[in-house]
Amino acid sequence: LVVDTAGSNYDTVLGVFEQTPEGLVEVACNDEAGPGIRAARAAWLADAGREYIVMAGTFQGTAGGALWIRVTD
């Protein structure tokens, strides 16, 4: 799967996690989708039937704004 924040009006960061008996395990993260692009884009090989937690935030505590999240396969 791929999750991105294209269309958001601030510098975003993404983390994707899976819940395990030991706690949350990071499966993907990203700060910028490419050079000079403030949107984040994270990709991972998702397993059918598994639940994933997507966390979005601002880069280094900068001001937030309108957040767009898109998930594609």
Side-chain angles (χ1 to χ4, degrees), residues 13-38:
V13 179
L14 282 172
V16 181
F17 301 85
E18 182 177 14
Q19 181 69 55
T20 70
E22 293 79 28
L24 291 179
V25 174
E26 183 180 284
V27 296
C29 68
N30 183 262
D31 171 29
E32 294 182 344
I37 300 172
R38 298 185 333 161

Side-chain angles (χ1 to χ4, degrees), residues 26-73:
E26 183 180 284
V27 296
C29 68
N30 183 262
D31 171 29
E32 294 182 344
I37 300 172
R38 298 185 333 161
R41 181 182 184 275
W44 73 101
L45 295 174
D47 293 324
R50 293 247 168 131
E51 292 183 10
Y52 297 93
I53 299 164
V54 176
M55 298 177 72
T58 63
F59 177 71
Q60 294 185 348
T62 57
L67 174 65
W68 289 83
I69 294 181
R70 175 178 52 186
V71 179
T72 55
D73 59 3

